[in-house]
Amino acid sequence: MTATRAGARVIRHPDGPVLASAAAARLATRLVDVLAEREVAHLVLTGGTIGIGTLAALAQLPAREAVDWGRVHLWWGDERFVPSGDKERNETQARDALLDSLPLDPRFVHAMAASDGPDGENAEAAAERYAAELAKYAGSSGTDAPAFDVLLLGMGPDGHIASLFPDHPGTHEVAPSAIAVHNSPKPPPNRISLTFRVIQAAREVWVVASGAEKAEAVARALSSADQVHTPAVGAHGTEATLWLVDEAAASLLQQ
């Protein structure tokens, strides 16, 4: 384990499958601990290969049975603005990997709207709808969103997190809690994303990254202060920031 910029901790694992299993076990333990202290837990899910792989690993862990899933609120950090049920949606992938096998309270599953949802193809209205949903559960956080207990993030080779891409307009947004993203450099072009402000209000932020193609971005994110050019710089929580990586993704970091 390595301490780095702004108190972030880097925790290395041999490869992607071990990383996914370890992250899943860590997540189950964290949720049990949170629910021992508070009435409910708020968890933000991510997509991507390793993010969904973590959920799939959790589905296979006996430890998942220790979590009172009926008391867990599930949110998403970003979503592809495509029709409901589309295989590209993070929600669809999460349901297939884990959620459909859990005894969740449907009222606590806060999916971002799809392009065939109540707002049609109006991504701005869908983002405003999600912002309103976040505000409903802000509680005593003092902001317009919950203080998430764990906010999971993947990271692209370009250093993007959620749907906040390098030098893209979304990296400059400070007022809304959720925004529409257009002309994404990675398809599909239209998305919805949380903003840095809400991400950074989470109690714990975990970045899960795997693969040699992520190594440069990991090293840059942990040594830079420019979250506009390298959005992963902005991945940090109020109580803890974890970088859960495999050795390939950590290969450019100092031991």
Side-chain angles (χ1 to χ4, degrees), residues 22 49 56 68-69 72 75 84 89 93 95 98 127 151 163-164 176 197-198 200 203 207 215 230 238 242 244 251:
T49 301
D68 186 352
W69 291 102
V72 179
W75 304 87
S84 56
R89 278 181 62 84
Q93 295 176 23
R95 288 187 180 279
L98 174 66
L151 190 150
S163 284
L164 303 174
R197 178 174 63 81
V198 176
Q200 292 164 3
R203 291 187 173 98
V207 182
T230 306
T238 61
L242 302 183
L244 308 176
S251 61

Side-chain angles (χ1 to χ4, degrees), residues 88-139:
E88 288 294 301
R89 278 181 62 84
N90 291 333
E91 178 200 2
T92 303
Q93 295 176 23
R95 288 187 180 279
D96 290 346
L98 174 66
L99 305 190
D100 285 348
S101 67
L102 297 178
L104 298 168
D105 185 334
R107 300 172 301 167
F108 288 7
V109 181
H110 308 281
M112 291 178 169
S115 62
D116 59 350
D119 304 297
E121 296 187 358
N122 187 336
E124 280 73 20
E128 290 174 3
R129 181 180 296 275
Y130 208 65
E133 184 77 357
L134 289 164
K136 283 170 53 180
Y137 292 91

Side-chain angles (χ1 to χ4, degrees), residues 3-244:
T4 184
R5 182 187 55 77
R9 291 186 296 153
V10 178
I11 302 171
R12 304 174 186 233
H13 298 284
D15 54 37
V18 173
L19 167 60
S21 295
R26 182 181 293 273
L27 180 57
T29 300
R30 172 64 177 156
L31 290 174
V32 169
D33 289 346
V34 169
L35 291 171
E37 297 178 2
R38 290 190 282 277
E39 183 67 24
V40 297
H42 289 272
L43 168 64
V44 180
L45 301 177
T46 187
T49 301
I50 193 66
I52 298 301
T54 296
L55 300 186
L58 182 53
Q60 302 302 315
L61 281 182
R64 78 172 191 167
E65 302 295 335
V67 179
D68 186 352
W69 291 102
R71 295 163 55 203
V72 179
H73 285 266
L74 297 177
W75 304 87
W76 274 263
D78 73 322
E79 187 57 275
R80 298 165 173 90
F81 197 55
V82 294
S84 56
D86 192 298
K87 291 298 185 183
E88 288 294 301
R89 278 181 62 84
N90 291 333
E91 178 200 2
T92 303
Q93 295 176 23
R95 288 187 180 279
D96 290 346
L98 174 66
L99 305 190
D100 285 348
S101 67
L102 297 178
L104 298 168
D105 185 334
R107 300 172 301 167
F108 288 7
V109 181
H110 308 281
M112 291 178 169
S115 62
D116 59 350
D119 304 297
E121 296 187 358
N122 187 336
E124 280 73 20
E128 290 174 3
R129 181 180 296 275
Y130 208 65
E133 184 77 357
L134 289 164
K136 283 170 53 180
Y137 292 91
S140 60
S141 69
T143 69
D144 53 358
F148 301 116
D149 295 293
V150 177
L151 190 150
L152 293 170
L153 291 169
M155 185 196 66
D158 60 355
H160 84 264
I161 53 170
S163 284
L164 303 174
F165 293 92
D167 304 302
H168 207 259
T171 61
H172 297 281
E173 291 280 4
V174 294
S177 57
I179 56 171
V181 175
H182 298 291
N183 301 312
S184 163
K186 179 181 178 181
N190 297 320
R191 297 159 174 255
I192 302 171
S193 183
L194 299 184
T195 57
F196 281 129
R197 178 174 63 81
V198 176
I199 291 170
Q200 292 164 3
R203 291 187 173 98
E204 296 196 5
V205 173
W206 301 3
V207 182
V208 187
S210 173
E213 71 278 9
K214 308 286 182 69
E216 183 178 352
V218 168
R220 191 167 67 246
L222 290 168
S223 62
S224 172
D226 183 359
Q227 70 180 23
V228 171
H229 184 61
T230 306
V233 168
H236 51 83
T238 61
E239 297 179 6
T241 304
L242 302 183
W243 281 73
L244 308 176

